[in-house]
Structure formats: structure tokens, C-alpha cells
Amino acid sequence: MTSSYDIRVKNELVERESEFLDRLFSEVQKVVVGQREMVERVFMGLICGGHVLLEGAPGLAKTLTVNTLAQCMQLEFKRVQFTPDLLPSDVLGTVIYNHQQGEFTNKQGPIFTNLLLADEINRAPAKVQSALLEAMAERSVTIGDTTYPLPQPFLVLATQNPIEQEGTYNLPEAQLDRFMFKIRVTYPTAEEELSIIDRVAVPGDAQMPTVERIISQEEISKVKRVLEQIIVERPVREYIVSVVGATREPAGAQLPGLAPFIDFGASPRASIALFQAARAHAFLRRRGYVSPEDVKAVAPDVLRHRVILSYEAEAEGKTVEEIVRVILEHVHVP
């Protein structure tokens, strides 16, 4: 059991190293109205090294948020519009023949960046998805006979239109599992939407506000080292395993009523993601230790794309969010 002195030391460390957070989020809000949870989750994915999938209707500032964060954090940002005719070489790069030199050379694709925005990722064919999966998993790309490491940090931030929209396809489960978060981006409140209108109602050519650099790549690396020092007590670790385990064996978690609704539960990668995300959430709340409330706060975003529901669940209108909520309500909290 960690002593109160150790907790106090970690709290002071996190408090000191998280001073930039208010300035960072204030800078983003110069451009992005509302969407605080989306901004936080994207930032958490970045400091944890986890890819993020953003699902929502067009026009909800998904691209704008990613671009603005990249500017605030002095990171290189590239965008690829995923379409049905996209080829793997359009993303990864290709081998080209140089007529002047009479030799083949490798041309790197847009994936060689810090933040890759894969816009409308669920419109691309399977070959592109497979190529992207390798890069997400290995953090490297092979072009011709040469393997290149991707820049650090490297993060895929993918946007996805809701599945019911025309021309979209389900992503493979193996690829979904590579995303740390799946974030549902919702519509702004009436007050936020009024603020958006006020911004564009300025007479003349309204220019997009410029944002300042708040944190450098070196400072991001420092934040990652601070995350590793955040205390996660054994009971909280066991709680994480119990929550994820309940998606696989509901009966073992005293939730037999959920078993008919779940075809496949979350993998061990979900436990790792939940552990890392809970530490990042504690960091954003200026604490040097993880509480069960941190786990509960991030569990829906970590699990919603990893739990596969049965046909019976779909027939009865059950959603993953409902299943996760029931699990969080009934699994014993330490």
C-alpha cells in the first residue's frame, strides 16, 4: 500500500507538470467552440500513444479540433481523405523510377507525420485498412525493400461517419482494437451553437483565430514520463481487469442477464488501454494517483468499439453503452 507521503509527492509532481493544461485548452477554445470532452480525449490519446477514432456527423469540428491541437503542440499534421478508390501507396508511399539517375527511389507518403488525420476512414477499401493497421501496430512502414520508422510521436486520428450513412463500411475488428478510444462526437448545445453563429456573423471577412504553441515535443515526452509515475494501486488494477473481464464472462461477474447480448468481449489490449487512459484522466484532474472514478470516466470510450453485440442485442435495441453502463454499475468498486 502506498503511503500518504508518496501520494503527496506524486500529487505535487503532477500539479507542477500539468500547469500548461489550462492554457492549452483555452488556446484550443479560441478556435473550437465546446467539444471539451473530445479535445480532452484526443490529448489523452496523444500523451498515451494511443490512436483515436472520432465518430460523428459531418460539421462537428472533428478535423478542426485535430488541426488546432497540432498547432498548439508544435506537431506536424497531415490529412488524408479516405475514398473508395484510395490505394495503400497513396497513404504509405511508393517506389518510383528516376529517369535522370536511372534508378528506383522510395517516396514516402503522408503517413510520415506526427498526427495523421484519416478523414472518413470507413469509406476506404480493405487493402488500405490493412496497410494502415500495420503502421498503427508496428509504428513503421515498408516501402519496397526498406522499412522506415514513423516519426515520434505518431498518432492516427480517424474520423468516421455513422455506419447508417450511405457509402460507409464497418472497420475490421482487428483494426478497431488498435484504437485506444472511440469517441462519439455529439451536436453542440444551443448556447454553443449560438456562439458559433456569433463568430461567423462578424461583418467582412472573418478570419480564423491564430493559436500559439503551448507545449513542445520535448515537453510531451516529459508528460509521458510523468504518467508512468502516477500511482495505480493493486485494487484499482484488479478493478480494471474485472470490468474488462465482465465483457467476456458476464455470468462470472454476477451479470448472467448480459450473456445473451454479447458475442465477443474486449481483449487484453482493452485492459492496457483502460489502465493507460485512467492515468491520463488522473493527470488531467491534477492527481498523482488513479481512482476507480477515473476508470469509470474513460471506460465507455475504451470499450464501446471492442465489445461485439449479438443479433439478439440488436433485435432488442441494446447498445454497447447500455451494456458498459450496467457493468460499471454492478462490478464491485474497491
Side-chain angles (χ1 to χ4, degrees):
M1 184 66 67
T2 307
S3 68
S4 58
Y5 172 77
D6 290 333
I7 292 176
R8 186 170 69 251
V9 169
K10 299 302 182 185
N11 280 340
E12 291 173 354
L13 172 65
V14 170
E15 187 71 32
R16 184 171 62 252
E17 299 298 335
S18 63
E19 289 179 350
F20 70 91
L21 288 174
D22 288 335
R23 291 184 290 118
L24 174 66
F25 293 131
S26 295
E27 203 67 20
V28 173
Q29 286 172 358
K30 287 182 180 180
V31 179
V32 181
V33 177
Q35 302 292 7
R36 176 61 182 256
E37 183 172 325
M38 174 174 64
V39 175
E40 285 191 354
R41 293 297 188 268
V42 172
F43 176 74
M44 289 165 61
L46 182 64
I47 60 177
C48 290
H51 308 292
V52 179
L53 179 62
L54 304 169
E55 182 178 270
L60 296 181
K62 300 185 293 293
T63 303
L64 183 63
T65 297
V66 176
N67 194 5
T68 305
L69 263 178
Q71 293 178 48
C72 291
M73 304 175 75
Q74 203 179 29
L75 297 174
E76 186 180 11
F77 166 78
K78 292 181 182 177
R79 173 183 177 180
V80 176
Q81 190 69 39
F82 278 50
T83 57
D85 60 348
L86 195 71
L87 298 174
S89 59
D90 295 329
V91 179
L92 306 183
T94 187
V95 179
I96 60 175
Y97 182 72
N98 189 319
H99 288 280
Q100 294 179 341
Q101 298 180 359
E103 61 183 19
F104 289 94
T105 58
N106 295 338
K107 180 182 179 182
Q108 296 182 349
I111 200 169
F112 288 88
T113 186
N114 296 126
L115 294 182
L116 176 71
L117 179 66
D119 217 358
E120 296 190 290
I121 189 173
N122 56 333
R123 293 189 185 276
K127 284 185 177 181
V128 177
Q129 304 293 356
S130 298
L132 186 61
L133 173 60
E134 180 183 1
M136 292 169 64
E138 306 297 335
R139 290 319 202 268
S140 62
V141 169
T142 301
I143 304 174
D145 297 328
T146 308
T147 299
Y148 299 93
L150 290 170
Q152 294 297 324
F154 169 73
L155 194 66
V156 173
L157 295 132
T159 68
Q160 174 175 278
N161 285 335
I163 297 301
E164 61 266 22
Q165 292 198 359
E166 185 178 355
T168 61
Y169 308 91
N170 284 312
L171 296 181
E173 283 75 11
Q175 185 173 11
L176 282 173
D177 202 31
R178 295 292 180 183
F179 286 100
M180 183 176 193
F181 293 128
K182 180 182 179 182
I183 303 167
R184 290 272 169 83
V185 185
T186 58
Y187 289 104
T189 64
E191 184 178 351
E192 291 169 346
E193 197 155 0
L194 183 60
S195 178
I196 294 170
I197 293 175
D198 290 341
R199 290 190 180 190
V200 300
V202 179
D205 295 330
Q207 293 185 350
M208 185 71 67
T210 57
V211 294
E212 299 178 1
R213 180 183 66 82
I214 302 300
I215 181 173
S216 66
Q217 293 190 36
E218 292 74 20
E219 290 168 316
I220 295 172
S221 298
K222 189 176 182 181
V223 169
K224 290 181 178 181
R225 292 194 293 271
V226 172
L227 284 185
E228 294 173 355
Q229 300 183 53
I230 290 179
I231 298 169
V232 188
E233 295 280 12
R234 182 76 180 185
V236 177
R237 299 184 185 204
E238 293 174 349
Y239 176 61
I240 290 172
V241 172
S242 297
V243 168
V244 176
T247 67
R248 306 173 201 149
E249 298 291 340
Q254 308 302 315
L255 292 168
L258 293 184
F261 301 135
I262 301 176
D263 266 353
F264 297 99
S267 72
R269 192 178 283 118
S271 299
I272 297 171
L274 194 51
F275 174 80
Q276 294 174 332
R279 287 198 302 192
H281 190 270
F283 179 82
L284 263 62
R285 300 301 179 266
R286 312 317 204 264
R287 278 187 282 103
Y289 63 93
V290 171
S291 73
E293 294 307 313
D294 294 310
V295 178
K296 286 186 174 183
V298 297
D301 293 325
V302 171
L303 296 176
R304 67 162 47 96
H305 54 299
R306 292 182 162 100
V307 177
I308 310 300
L309 299 185
S310 64
Y311 287 114
E312 184 175 342
E314 295 179 6
E316 295 193 18
K318 300 291 184 181
T319 64
V320 174
E321 282 78 7
E322 292 178 39
I323 302 298
V324 173
R325 185 177 66 250
V326 171
I327 289 173
L328 294 176
E329 287 174 353
H330 289 84
V331 170
H332 173 69
V333 180

